[in-house]
């Protein structure tokens, strides 16, 4: 501890912290056929012109492998070999579409629709020993493209189907809660900044001395 003599205000503290064991950014793309979109308007008998497709923030990416028994593989790295774990992930992506509904008489109505697609399971090699948790998040750089949509029919007047291409970008990290001993200083409260309480004097209206009071 001698090298910290120049920091007399610091002391040894033990804190809880989340340690990141591994962190990667990956992407996965997949084409889904005959995806059912549920519209907010009746689309049966009409044409559908898709304006945009977005991936909703409610989309999920979870680990479906056993966190207590992940398969291991030996990987050759430039500085030697290392044993890593194979993590299996499952993504469920919620889609949000904005479109125009074109009636046979030419009338156009704006509408929105939602759909859900499930990716095939995928494997990622990571440093994820037993005791770590996998945190997977679909990032906002993901995107989707919807082809032409065809109404299903009278049985489901608000549903149309079509093909969708989804590119899912994902942030994946393995982490665990650990206790760390650090050199730190406990934070003190800052001084209170008072609320200004200045009362302003009502201004006196401007006088007209050339008119009143008069010398006459």
């Amino acid at each position: 501890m001698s090298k910290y003599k120049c920091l007399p205000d610091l002391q040894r503290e033990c804190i809880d912290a989340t340690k990141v064991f591994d962190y990667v950014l990956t992407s996965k793309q997949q084409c889904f056929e005959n995806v059912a979109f549920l519209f907010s308007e009746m689309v049966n008998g009409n044409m559908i012109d898709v304006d945009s497709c977005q991936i909703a923030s409610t989309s999920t990416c979870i680990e479906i492998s056993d966190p207590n028994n992940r398969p291991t593989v030996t990987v050759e790295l430039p500085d030697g070999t290392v044993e890593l774990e194979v993590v299996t992930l499952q993504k469920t992506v919620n889609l949000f579409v904005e479109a125009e509904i074109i009636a046979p008489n030419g009338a156009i109505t704006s509408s929105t629709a939602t759909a859900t697609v499930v990716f095939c399971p995928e494997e990622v090699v990571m440093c994820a020993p037993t005791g770590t948790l996998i945190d997977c998040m679909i990032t906002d750089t993901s995107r989707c493209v919807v082809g032409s949509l065809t109404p299903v029919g009278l049985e489901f007047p608000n549903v149309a189907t079509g093909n969708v291409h989804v590119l899912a970008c994902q942030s994946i990290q393995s982490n665990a809660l650990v206790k760390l001993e650090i050199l730190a200083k406990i934070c003190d409260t800052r001084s209170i900044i008072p609320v200004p309480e200045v009362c302003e004097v009502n201004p006196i209206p401007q006088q007209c001395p050339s008119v009143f009071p008069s010398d006459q």
Side-chain angles (χ1 to χ4, degrees):
M1 302 293 289
S2 59
K3 62 181 178 180
Y4 297 111
K5 288 182 179 179
C6 59
L7 303 173
D9 292 338
L10 301 184
Q11 59 186 10
R12 295 167 63 188
E13 299 287 348
C14 185
I15 64 170
D16 287 328
T18 300
K19 172 179 169 53
V20 177
F21 285 73
D22 203 354
Y23 174 52
V24 294
L25 291 173
T26 67
S27 64
K28 188 75 172 181
Q29 55 183 330
Q30 189 170 329
C31 186
F32 302 89
E33 297 182 349
N34 298 320
V35 177
F37 284 85
L38 178 62
F39 277 83
S40 57
E41 308 285 341
M42 188 179 72
V43 295
N44 182 55
N46 300 323
M47 293 180 58
I48 303 173
D49 185 12
V50 177
D51 292 329
S52 66
C53 177
Q54 301 175 24
I55 295 179
S57 59
T58 54
S59 302
T60 60
C61 174
I62 62 173
E63 179 185 9
I64 59 174
S65 48
D66 183 358
N68 297 316
N69 189 28
R70 298 179 181 120
T72 59
V73 292
T74 301
V75 180
E76 289 284 346
L77 297 178
D79 54 353
T81 61
V82 62
E83 189 175 82
L84 300 175
E85 285 70 36
V86 178
V87 177
T88 306
L89 301 172
Q90 178 76 73
K91 290 191 296 297
T92 301
V93 177
N94 298 319
L95 307 175
F96 178 80
V97 163
E98 293 180 332
E100 291 183 339
I101 311 302
I102 306 173
N105 62 3
I108 299 177
T109 304
S110 296
S111 183
T112 59
T114 57
T116 299
V117 295
V118 179
F119 273 70
C120 294
E122 63 183 284
E123 294 182 334
V124 181
V125 175
M126 302 186 68
C127 173
T130 300
T132 57
L133 300 176
I134 300 299
D135 183 8
C136 179
M137 180 182 67
I138 298 176
T139 69
D140 55 8
T141 54
S142 304
R143 59 182 183 269
C144 54
V145 179
V146 180
S148 60
L149 296 179
T150 304
V152 172
L154 288 174
E155 187 177 0
F156 302 100
N158 289 52
V159 177
T161 61
N163 298 339
V164 183
H165 180 270
V166 180
L167 170 64
C169 302
Q170 53 207 15
S171 164
I172 312 168
Q173 68 178 32
S174 57
N175 54 59
L177 186 65
V178 298
K179 294 187 181 299
L180 298 179
E181 181 180 312
I182 64 171
L183 284 175
K185 178 183 177 182
I186 302 300
C187 296
D188 293 326
T189 58
R190 65 169 177 81
S191 58
I192 299 297
I193 300 176
V195 178
E197 297 181 355
V198 179
C199 296
E200 296 184 358
V201 178
N202 292 332
I204 299 175
Q206 186 175 356
Q207 301 183 67
C208 303
S210 60
V211 177
F212 182 86
S214 173
D215 293 335
Q216 298 179 355

